[in-house]
Amino acid sequence: MPSEIIRSGTFRDGFEAGFRAIRGTTRALPAVPAQPATRANQTAFLMGVRKGIERATGKDVDDLAD
């Protein structure tokens, strides 16, 4: 069965997915930040993933590609 990328859900769902993708499922989830404005071509879920990754790495997601 092919895997599907989840692109919908709440900001909180995305934040948890992003954070856990980096830190794992056994780490305590930090407080979820306020939802920022949604960028063009993004969803609330994807914005949450970005913020979760940023919280887990301590870096801005845009800086990780450099």
Side-chain angles (χ1 to χ4, degrees):
M1 180 162 102
S3 64
E4 294 183 23
I5 297 174
I6 299 171
R7 295 190 179 158
S8 63
T10 66
F11 175 79
R12 180 182 179 79
D13 294 338
F15 180 82
E16 183 173 349
F19 183 85
R20 297 216 185 278
I22 303 298
R23 293 293 181 120
T25 58
T26 59
R27 295 292 295 263
L29 188 66
V32 178
Q35 182 175 337
T38 304
R39 294 181 179 188
N41 297 322
Q42 297 285 313
T43 64
F45 179 84
L46 292 174
M47 292 299 293
V49 170
R50 290 176 62 89
K51 287 297 179 187
I53 291 171
E54 288 175 354
R55 180 68 57 88
T57 62
K59 297 180 181 179
D60 188 298
V61 170
D62 294 327
D63 294 341
L64 296 175
D66 294 336

